Amino acid sequence: MHIGVPAEARANETRVAATPETVKKYVAQGHRVTVQQGAGVAASFTDEAFAAAGAELVDAAAAFSADLVLKVQSPTEAELPLMKRGAVLVGVLDPFNAENTAQLAAAGVTAFALEAAPRTTRAQSLDVLSSQANIAGYKAVLVAAERYPRFLPMLMTAAGTVKAARVLVLGAGVAGLQAIATAKRLGAVIEASDVRPAVKEQIESLGAKFIDVPYETQEEREAAEGVGGYARPMPPSWLARQSVAVHERAKQADIVISTALIPGRAAPTLISVETVRAMRPGSVIVDLAAGRGAEFEGRRGGNCPLTEADQVVTRHGVTIVGFTNLAAMVAADASSLYARNLLDFLKLIVTKEGTLNIDLADDIVAATLLARDGEVTRKA
Ligand code: NAD
């Protein structure tokens, strides 16, 4: 089979969907692999390394003309017509974006959105949300540390003692837990909040304090259990109590890393404008939900309404970082892990003989299939 790896054309995307390591494996499996010239450069993978792994270096049109196209993000409107009808596209294709899915279907592409895979043990090795959120959580702390005008660790020096920074992590899923672990390594004192009771133990095992907002009704308890490992929107009664707790903790915090998401919905507002006003000057918020929150002043914020997607702004003395693609800021490792996720996913849809086999009885294949034969197969 011809596998194509185009360069990523979208803004701030530095990752690439295959690495010399995975190309070598595809070639060993008998596939012909074409990689667009320069596709890996921003992730530190040279054309020479791809060629040494057995890839042919080609232009965009040739890479997109493959039977199977591996991408990070969806092709742009200009790129999509370069694909053959009936060809397979695998990537992070944003299954909640109905317009994009409709375009993929209209192009006759068989499209798989990897982020729609179930959070099951079998799907772990191809779980792109986990592999990339892990990196984003790590980078979020480094970005915060860089913008924060003080030390993170406690330091005792001849010139006096410096207090450890207080870090507040909101949302302790994959990104939040890695943010806790990273902040801990840098010597910060950490508190964290999540809706799901299962994470209390995980937060504490990483050496952070869990902010307990007890459930008072059966409705709150049930909502908190989530579905399929994901959070569900919490009842307003619980959110109001959480908001009071977050406000109090944020006033004491030096850095807030917020990662709270609810699949298919606007990210919850956890850091209100009032809370930002109450925070200390020089403190930093890194909002991983940037651009995915509720509408505020004509644009979408994140977990904080004042967050601006892909911008760093200062509001009421607080630096608010809204980078939407933190994983791409660690491009080499993000690409390596992502490329391995793809390698594992392809085992489900390509036989050992190198032919395509889309088995809808497989829950991962069925969940990720977005479009096929001109039809949208997965509703947003
Ligand atoms: P996510 O990115 O969808 O959300 C991030 C976090 O925000 C979640 O922990 C969520 O509970 C939290 N959140 C939502 N609303 C909130 C609020 N109001 N206040 C505070 N926090 C809020 O989640 P994710 O990181 O993708 O992980 C979701 C879960 O799936 C985790 O428990 C993870 O361990 C699990 N998981 C399981 C597998 C597997 O079994 N294969 C793989 C990956 C992840």
Side-chain angles (χ1 to χ4, degrees):
M1 191 179 290
H2 173 192
I3 299 178
V5 184
E8 296 296 317
R10 294 187 187 265
N12 301 326
E13 189 51 83
T14 55
R15 294 169 292 177
V16 59
T19 58
E21 177 198 348
T22 61
V23 165
K24 205 168 171 181
K25 292 193 172 142
Y26 295 133
V27 171
Q29 289 164 7
H31 301 295
R32 171 184 173 224
V33 182
T34 56
V35 174
Q36 185 178 341
Q37 278 148 5
V41 168
S44 312
F45 300 110
T46 61
D47 286 353
E48 291 72 24
F50 278 116
E56 292 165 44
L57 277 300
V58 297
D59 62 11
F64 272 110
S65 73
D67 309 310
L68 176 52
V69 173
L70 302 183
K71 286 275 291 134
V72 179
Q73 298 195 42
S74 268
T76 61
E77 272 181 47
E79 290 172 330
L80 193 53
L82 299 175
M83 284 191 68
K84 296 190 292 199
R85 291 191 80 79
V88 175
L89 171 69
V90 187
V92 179
L93 304 181
D94 199 359
F96 293 111
N97 181 342
E99 194 186 326
N100 187 54
T101 305
Q103 281 169 0
L104 294 171
V109 164
T110 300
F112 290 95
L114 285 191
E115 68 269 54
R119 303 315 272 280
T120 55
T121 306
R122 194 169 77 92
Q124 250 170 0
S125 64
L126 51 89
D127 187 334
V128 295
L129 289 181
S130 291
S131 73
Q132 305 303 297
N134 196 18
I135 294 174
Y138 159 82
K139 190 67 182 177
V141 174
L142 300 190
V143 166
E146 204 175 272
R147 307 271 168 174
Y148 178 57
R150 297 189 172 88
F151 275 113
L152 264 74
M154 199 256 301
L155 283 186
M156 289 164 87
T157 79
T161 300
V162 176
K163 281 205 292 191
R166 301 181 74 92
V167 174
L168 173 63
V169 175
L170 303 175
V174 179
L177 289 174
Q178 185 55 255
I180 294 172
T182 305
K184 189 79 190 167
R185 285 179 208 121
L186 288 173
V189 174
I190 308 143
E191 294 186 298
S193 168
D194 200 297
V195 294
R196 294 176 300 116
V199 296
K200 176 178 191 284
E201 219 176 273
Q202 295 164 5
I203 289 170
E204 289 174 348
S205 73
L206 289 170
K209 186 170 168 238
F210 177 64
I211 301 170
D212 201 7
V213 181
Y215 312 114
E216 290 181 354
T217 63
Q218 189 58 20
E219 188 199 2
E220 290 179 5
R221 251 181 294 277
E222 277 169 19
E225 288 300 331
V227 55
Y230 288 113
R232 283 195 303 195
M234 287 298 284
S237 53
W238 188 88
L239 287 174
R241 297 199 304 282
Q242 183 200 27
S243 163
V244 173
V246 167
H247 184 83
E248 287 311 311
R249 298 316 207 284
K251 278 199 311 198
Q252 311 295 327
D254 299 297
I255 291 173
V256 180
I257 310 282
S258 77
T259 75
L261 294 174
I262 296 166
R265 309 236 179 184
T269 299
L270 301 182
I271 313 158
S272 66
V273 177
E274 273 317 297
T275 298
V276 175
R277 273 188 219 274
M279 286 176 68
R280 298 212 279 241
S283 51
V284 180
I285 297 171
V286 179
D287 190 344
L288 270 71
R292 298 163 77 172
E295 187 120 337
F296 182 76
E297 292 180 349
R299 50 171 178 74
R300 292 185 74 177
N303 291 141
C304 177
L306 297 175
T307 302
E308 295 188 26
D310 291 313
Q311 303 291 326
V312 179
V313 296
T314 304
R315 297 284 178 267
H316 311 293
V318 177
T319 303
I320 306 176
V321 180
F323 297 150
T324 56
N325 194 351
L326 282 156
M329 296 169 81
V330 190
D333 276 338
S335 300
S336 294
L337 298 180
Y338 180 73
R340 285 187 211 139
N341 291 147
L342 282 181
L343 182 74
D344 272 312
F345 178 76
L346 291 197
K347 289 178 190 156
L348 303 180
I349 60 164
V350 180
T351 65
K352 288 212 168 69
E353 293 70 44
T355 55
L356 195 65
N357 174 33
I358 298 175
D359 175 10
L360 292 178
D362 183 310
D363 65 333
I364 301 173
V365 175
T368 50
L369 184 62
L370 268 193
R372 188 184 190 183
D373 297 333
E375 302 288 333
V376 172
T377 53
R378 190 184 197 281
K379 294 281 168 269

